[in-house]
Amino acid sequence: MAIAPLPVATARDHVLSLAPSMGNRHGLVAGATGTGKTVTLRVLTEGFSRMGVPVFLADVKGDLSGLARAGADPRFAERAKTLGLEDWAPQGCPVTFWEVGGGRGHPVRTTVSEMGPLLLSRILNLNDVQSGLLTLVFRVADDAGLLLLDLKDLRAMLQHVSENARELQAKYGNVSAASVGAIQRSLLGLEEEGGDALFGEPALDVEDLMQTASDGRGVVNVLVADKLVQTPRTYATLLLWMMSELFERLPEVGDPEKPRLVFFFDEAHLLFTDAPKVLQEKIEQVVRLIRSKGVGVYFVTQNPLDLPDTVLGQLGNRVQHALRAFTPRDQKAVRAAAETFRANPDVDVETAITQLAVGEALVSLLDATGTPEPVSRAKVHPPRTQLPPLAAEDQQRTVRASLLYGHYEKAIDRESAYEQLRDRAAQAQPPLLPAGGDRSGGGWGSGETEARGGGGGRRRAAPQESSGMADAFSGLARNAARAAGTQLGREIMRGVLGSIFGGARRRR
């Protein structure tokens, strides 16, 4: 059965709809503050969910939790009647809440090794020399078979490298005490901001973001990020890590009939602010290539100029709300936005952008053949969900009712670099240094193999079905599998954005 298109807005006498097969061709929702971007994001989210497509989005303003409830705003019902939307009816979405550190959602964690040295360097705001040393530390940990799971593991590894700098220098290069100190200070600052809650186990399995409800609708994953966005580097890097995980984990699907997941990146300018050129180039590559994995990425930002031209050129579905033209940069943004639309003789785009009312937008979507439709001035459809945020107790009930509840809530602190180095120091054993040039085995544990996702199956959290020793053993075994791998495998897989980095992927 054919999948119905996603209606977005109405222009005069026709509805502008997004073709399901074009949902993974990415998109842009732009406009000044207060012009209706959040409502457009809601309409797209609700539509993808009804289509059976899971959605991930970050709630940076604390106003999206209402997606879990049907709306009751009479203004929306009146707008639907005015636009002739006969099938419009209030309806909530199936929602799963997430939050770094937990509290208002399932805790989101990753390990230091999974984050990798390049993205971690960005969170810590390291310079090139310090970033190079951090990469060296990761390499030494690999060669010594030490797990880097949380920040205390990284601290212990930095201390180990500093104390054995002379012995390590011949194999790895110079170890600067000043750079070690700078990294340690940056880690202290990250901990004071609460960033240490991001690292640990159980680490997020991105496949848990790709669930459907019992009625076939896609689950909407809401990252509670009103506090996280106050540390913009951590916020942007976390979302970039999630995109990279999806890129690595998902198989190629070409052009599916609908996306496997839609990923909304709100406050998208934070992704590129102060990002080194090499990182921007890799972001461009992952945005381009992740389409073939069936993932659509939609950037939400105030100004199209916030995104590099190389990224803007890949965003086929566009909803442009009003822009202000008070400064030369604003005027440049208006001209740039106007030039990116397919011309329509009935619409003066450059003039219309500054005159759009709240809830109006210039819309150009890809048709079923992948061709951009001529730009139209249109009224965005009303959302079906509740506009005010959920009450705290309602949000907690939603979290506790999730099938995932109980799996991510309990942190696991198993033996890793910190404990191993501490024990060796207590026993006055010699430092952990690589042996000769033998790189054929050892590592995380001789004989261990990569088992994450093995056999085509996937983990589903079912805490109500396990307890006691069996539950503990299952959790440890699952997390050990995530980190397992041969020495060669770790070097190949260590990285940040998959094989497109041309280097090693991250260590498991």
Side-chain angles (χ1 to χ4, degrees), residues 95-117:
V95 172
T96 299
F97 291 104
W98 303 87
E99 185 180 27
V100 173
R104 294 173 293 174
H106 303 299
V108 175
R109 303 182 190 90
T110 183
T111 66
V112 170
S113 289
E114 287 184 323
M115 181 67 72

Side-chain angles (χ1 to χ4, degrees), residues 35-350:
T35 56
K37 295 192 302 298
T38 301
V39 168
T40 298
L41 185 153
R42 281 176 173 266
V43 171
L44 290 171
T45 296
E46 296 166 7
F48 279 120
S49 177
R50 291 195 304 274
M51 197 186 292
V53 177
V55 176
F56 175 87
L57 54 85
D59 184 5
V60 299
K61 292 180 287 188
D63 59 355
L64 292 178
S65 59
L67 283 164
R69 297 288 183 272
D73 194 324
R75 295 173 301 173
F76 291 160
E78 180 62 29
R79 186 177 181 88
K81 182 178 180 181
T82 301
L83 296 178
L85 308 179
E86 297 180 357
D87 64 343
W88 185 92
Q91 184 183 35
C93 295
V95 172
T96 299
F97 291 104
W98 303 87
E99 185 180 27
V100 173
R104 294 173 293 174
H106 303 299
V108 175
R109 303 182 190 90
T110 183
T111 66
V112 170
S113 289
E114 287 184 323
M115 181 67 72
L118 182 55
L119 285 182
L120 191 57
S121 293
R122 191 180 184 216
I123 291 179
L124 297 174
N125 196 24
L126 305 183
N127 61 29
D128 291 343
V129 174
Q130 295 158 0
S131 180
L133 177 60
L134 188 61
T135 301
L136 181 153
V137 169
F138 273 66
R139 180 61 177 273
V140 174
D142 272 348
D143 290 349
L146 297 174
L147 289 168
L148 298 180
L149 302 180
D150 51 29
L151 292 189
K152 72 177 186 297
D153 290 328
L154 183 55
R155 282 190 176 281
M157 200 65 222
L158 282 163
Q159 181 177 349
H160 171 75
V161 167
S162 178
E163 292 174 350
N164 298 279
R166 180 170 298 180
E167 293 86 347
L168 294 168
Q169 183 172 351
K171 185 174 180 64
Y172 299 100
N174 185 51
V175 176
S176 166
S179 294
V180 171
I183 298 173
Q184 293 279 26
R185 288 191 296 274
S186 295
L187 287 174
L188 180 61
L190 181 63
E191 290 173 337
E192 290 178 346
E193 294 173 353
D196 56 329
L198 176 59
F199 299 98
E201 291 186 309
L204 174 68
D205 184 343
V206 292
E207 291 190 17
D208 282 334
L209 304 178
M210 303 176 65
Q211 304 298 314
T212 54
S214 58
D215 59 4
R217 289 184 295 162
V219 171
V220 177
N221 297 276
V222 177
L223 176 67
V224 181
D226 52 335
K227 295 180 181 178
L228 180 64
V229 78
Q230 296 174 20
T231 54
R233 285 179 182 270
T234 304
Y235 165 77
T237 306
L238 173 62
L239 266 61
L240 179 56
W241 170 77
M242 288 185 176
M243 286 173 55
S244 72
E245 279 288 285
L246 291 165
F247 177 82
E248 178 200 337
R249 295 284 301 279
L250 299 179
E252 297 276 344
V253 295
D255 291 312
E257 61 179 359
K258 64 180 181 181
R260 300 181 65 184
L261 175 74
V262 168
F263 195 103
F264 285 96
F265 205 129
D266 203 358
E267 299 294 338
H269 66 281
L270 297 177
L271 183 59
F272 303 97
T273 301
D274 298 327
K277 183 178 180 181
V278 64
L279 185 56
Q280 288 201 24
E281 291 173 350
K282 303 313 173 183
I283 295 171
E284 173 198 343
Q285 288 180 328
V286 80
V287 170
R288 181 176 69 249
L289 297 175
I290 204 172
R291 178 189 67 80
S292 65
K293 305 296 184 88
V295 177
V297 181
Y298 287 70
F299 294 95
V300 183
T301 189
Q302 293 190 20
N303 194 321
L305 292 182
D306 293 337
L307 307 182
D309 291 341
T310 50
V311 172
L312 277 174
Q314 299 177 46
L315 311 182
N317 301 296
R318 301 193 176 201
V319 180
Q320 176 67 62
H321 290 274
L323 290 175
R324 310 307 179 203
F326 301 133
T327 68
R329 186 177 186 274
D330 294 338
Q331 295 165 6
K332 180 181 178 181
V334 168
R335 290 192 297 271
E339 292 170 356
T340 60
F341 287 107
R342 181 180 173 186
N344 182 341
D346 296 330
V347 180
D348 182 348
V349 176
E350 190 168 341

Side-chain angles (χ1 to χ4, degrees), residues 398-479:
T398 302
V399 173
R400 290 193 294 268
S402 168
L403 291 175
L404 295 171
Y405 184 70
H407 172 67
Y408 290 104
E409 275 63 28
K410 185 175 181 180
I412 298 172
D413 187 12
R414 60 194 173 102
E415 184 175 285
S416 49
Y418 170 79
E419 289 81 9
Q420 290 176 313
L421 291 172
R422 179 197 60 194
D423 292 347
R424 293 185 67 88
Q427 298 168 17
Q429 294 186 27
L432 282 167
L433 299 174
D438 180 9
R439 309 180 62 78
S440 60
W444 300 90
S446 182
E448 291 184 348
T449 57
E450 175 65 41
R452 182 177 182 181
R458 66 177 307 278
R459 170 189 50 70
R460 290 183 181 275
Q464 67 276 16
E465 298 178 2
S466 62
S467 62
M469 290 293 293
D471 185 53
F473 178 79
S474 174
L476 288 174
R478 180 169 56 246
N479 286 285

